[in-house]
Amino acid sequence: MRVLIRGAGVAGLTAAFELATRGAAVTVAETRHSLGGNASWFAGGMLAPWCERESAEQPVLDLGRDAADWWDTATPGQVTRAGTLVVAAPRDTGELERFASRTSGHRRVDEDEIELLEPDLAGRFRRGLFFPDEAHLDPRQAMAALHDRLAGMGVEFRFGVDARHISRFDRRIDCTGMAAEDDRLRGVRGEMLILRTPDVSLSRPVRLLHPRFPLYVVPRTGHRFMVGATMIESRSTGPVTARSMMELLGAAYALHPAFGEAEIVETGVGIRPAFPDNLPRVEARGNAVAINGLYRHGFLLAPAMARQAAGLVFSQDRTKEPAHETDRQRRSA
Ligand SMILES: Cc1cc2nc3c(=O)[nH]c(=O)nc-3n(C[C@H](O)[C@H](O)[C@H](O)COP(=O)(O)OP(=O)(O)OC[C@H]3O[C@@H](n4cnc5c(N)ncnc54)[C@H](O)[C@@H]3O)c2cc1C
C-alpha cells in the first residue's frame, strides 16, 4: 500500500513511522524546505502527562503515559527520563496546592530534596512537587533522528512541495496542523526563548507556578535552556512581543538570577493547532485520514494518534478497495 503523508511536523513523522513499520510504502511531503519552522520546531519537548493533567482531560494522561517509551524505541538515546520538578515562590504556595490537588503521580519535596534534585536551585524554593515518571527530549534533535530513521527504513521525503498537488497514492494522511482546512481548528500562539548560560545547570524541566504566568524551563545541550511558553488565543505568527519577552525572562530570572546574564540565542513563535475541547483527533474522510488538534501535546500524544491512524488505514485496507487506482493497477491496465 502506498501512503502519502502531508506535513513533516511531529504528527506526520510519527505517522510515517507507524505506517512504515506496518509495511506501507510511505512518502512524506512537506511545503517547507527542511524540518524546521513549524509548531513542532518550537516545542519544549516535555513528555509530561501527569503535569498536563492539571489543565487537560483524562485522555491526555491515558494516551500520553507511553509516549516516552515510543520515542525511546523510535529514536533511541533521545529521551531523558529525569522527571519534572514543579516549584512556586513562597507567596504562590496556593498555586502549588492547587496543582497538587489536580494532578497525580507526584510526591511533595522540601528544600533539601529540591537541592538534591537540582543543586543549582538550593535555597531558592521551600516546597515543590516531583513527578518522577515524566521525561523530556529536544524536539529538533528527536525529529532529525526520526527523519534519519525513516529514511533508513525507505521512507521517501519530498521537501519544498505542496502535498495538495500530489496524487496517485492509495491512502493519504493529512498532518498539516494549522494549514488544514478545518473550521473547528483554532490557533494557540506559543512564544518561547532559548537562553544560553554556563552558570546554571538543570537536569530536568522545571515548572514555575504563578497565578498569571505559569512558565517552564527545559534544559538542552550546550548550556542552552528553552523557556516557554505563552498561551495566547491567536494564530498570529508575528515576532515575540515585548510583554511576552518580559514574562518569559521574568520567569527564568525568578527561577535563577544567573539567567539575567544569559545570552538570548533565539526567540520563536509556534501556533498550536487546537480543537474546541483541546483534544486531538484522528478522523477518516474517504480515502484520507487526518491527525490534528495536538494543541500543547504534540510530542506527548502524536505517537498514540499515529498508532490510531495506522490502525485505521490498515483496517480500511482490509474492508474496502482503495478509491483511487494505484500505480501498479494503472500500469497493468
Ligand atoms: C512554544 C510551544 C511549546 C510546546 N511545548 C510542547 C511540549 O513541551 N510537549 C508537547 O508534547 N507539545 C508541545 N507543544 C505542542 C506541539 O508543538 C504541537 O502540538 C505540535 O507541534 C503540532 O504538530 P503538527 O505536526 O500537528 O503541526 P506542525 O508541527 O505545524 O506541522 C505541520 C506541517 O505541515 C506542513 N504543511 C502544511 N500544509 C502543507 C501542505 N499542503 N503540503 C505539505 N506540507 C504542509 C507545515 O509546513 C508543517 O511543517 C508546544 C508547542 C509550542 C508552540
Side-chain angles (χ1 to χ4, degrees), residues 5-12 29-32 34-47 161-164 175-180 188-192 216 218 226 228-230 268-273 291-301:
I5 297 188
R6 289 176 166 178
V10 70
E30 165 60 51
T31 41
R32 295 177 189 270
S34 66
L35 283 180
N38 48 25
S40 306
W41 195 248
F42 296 107
M46 293 179 295
L47 304 174
V161 295
D162 184 336
R164 286 173 303 182
C175 302
T176 52
M178 285 308 301
V188 182
R189 176 178 156 99
E191 296 151 299
M192 50 79 82
Y216 54 80
V218 186
M226 185 275 193
T230 56
V269 174
I271 308 301
R272 307 173 184 92
I291 304 175
N292 217 326
L294 286 164
Y295 183 49
R296 48 183 282 155
H297 307 126
F299 287 81
L300 182 63
L301 299 186

Side-chain angles (χ1 to χ4, degrees), residues 29 42 47 58 67 72-73 75 78 82 88 97 100-101 121 123 130 141-142 150 178 180 188 213 231 234 269 285 305:
F42 296 107
L47 304 174
Q58 184 66 25
D72 244 349
T73 304
T75 59
Q78 294 294 324
E97 290 309 317
S101 71
L121 299 185
F130 181 51
Q141 289 182 6
L150 290 167
M178 285 308 301
V188 182
F213 322 120
M231 295 274 292
S234 164
V269 174
R285 289 178 207 134
M305 296 300 104

